[in-house]
Amino acid sequence: MLVKWIRCTVVDRRGFERGQRKWAGLLGEPGFRGQGGGWSRARPGVAHLFAFWESRAFYDSFMARSHDRLATAQSGTFKDAHIRLFEHRFDVKVGFQPVFSDADVARVAHCRVRPERVEHFTLMQEKVWNPAMAGSPGMLRGLFGEAPGSEFLVLSLWDSAAEHGKYRTERVERLALRTQIEADVSALAGDVVALEPSWSV
């Protein structure tokens, strides 16, 4: 599965949200699996979107055919768009589905990993971070994705911001020490996203 992550700064909120509803046109596109997103809880005006495709081939076909027609509705409503594509490597918890209706927030972590540490980083994700996150109350599902250049995405969906906050304060620091994350990662950026139900496709 291919995961597309878009982060942008919205300059016309009403126009952006109106345009966002036009993405319902993705339904019926070959290989499209789902899309959702919302607003950054920390940075006003920053929107995040996550789209899921069965494969890169289906995604490339959509980009060549239908993308521009759907995108025109949002033209001029945002700036500074950062778009990254990741290949799904494994689930956090079990059976990831790109469904957002039961989640309140998404946590996105974007990691640039030192090339010689990729194997260790991936192993720690699988053996330490995954079970810790999967065992946290309120954590619904998530995925771990990889892009060329030792770049990784960890996306998790939570039923409330409060539950995610508890996980952060109670466990993250301890796990970071245990997994030697500072030795693995050269850059780490993250955000907590308040999901907008009307953006789900």
Side-chain angles (χ1 to χ4, degrees), residues 122-134:
T122 306
L123 188 69
M124 291 298 101
Q125 282 295 326
E126 213 167 349
K127 303 288 187 222
V128 181
W129 288 101
N130 261 14
M133 216 189 293

Side-chain angles (χ1 to χ4, degrees), residues 3 27 45 61 80 90 110 119-122 135 177 188 193 201:
V3 185
L27 289 171
S61 169
D80 303 334
F90 49 77
H110 180 218
E119 208 173 310
H120 179 263
F121 174 77
T122 306
L177 286 170
L188 174 62
V193 183
V201 181

Side-chain angles (χ1 to χ4, degrees), residues 29-70:
E29 283 289 338
F32 173 71
R33 297 280 304 278
Q35 179 169 289
W39 299 102
S40 165
R41 287 175 57 94
R43 290 178 286 186
V46 171
H48 293 267
L49 290 154
F50 308 96
F52 303 85
W53 295 83
E54 266 171 47
S55 70
R56 180 69 191 251
F58 278 121
Y59 170 74
D60 286 344
S61 169
F62 161 72
M63 291 300 289
R65 288 178 301 98
S66 313
H67 174 269
D68 291 0
R69 178 173 49 80
L70 292 172

Side-chain angles (χ1 to χ4, degrees), residues 103-114:
D104 184 42
V105 298
R107 160 71 181 163
V108 57
H110 180 218
C111 311
R112 293 187 188 278
V113 177
R114 295 180 176 91

Side-chain angles (χ1 to χ4, degrees), residues 5-42:
W5 170 39
I6 305 164
R7 186 184 76 234
C8 60
T9 302
V10 174
V11 292
D12 169 6
R13 190 167 175 138
R14 186 176 279 166
F16 182 84
E17 294 203 303
R18 202 167 42 241
Q20 198 53 46
R21 288 193 280 279
K22 301 277 189 217
W23 290 100
L26 284 164
L27 289 171
E29 283 289 338
F32 173 71
R33 297 280 304 278
Q35 179 169 289
W39 299 102
S40 165
R41 287 175 57 94

Side-chain angles (χ1 to χ4, degrees), residues 1-3 86-92 96 118-123 125-126 130 142-147 150-153:
M1 183 166 63
L2 185 78
V3 185
F86 298 86
E87 284 291 343
H88 172 275
R89 283 283 303 275
F90 49 77
D91 292 342
V92 180
F96 180 82
V118 163
E119 208 173 310
H120 179 263
F121 174 77
T122 306
L123 188 69
Q125 282 295 326
E126 213 167 349
N130 261 14
L143 63 80
F144 179 76
E146 182 176 8
S150 312
E151 211 180 312
F152 296 88
L153 178 82

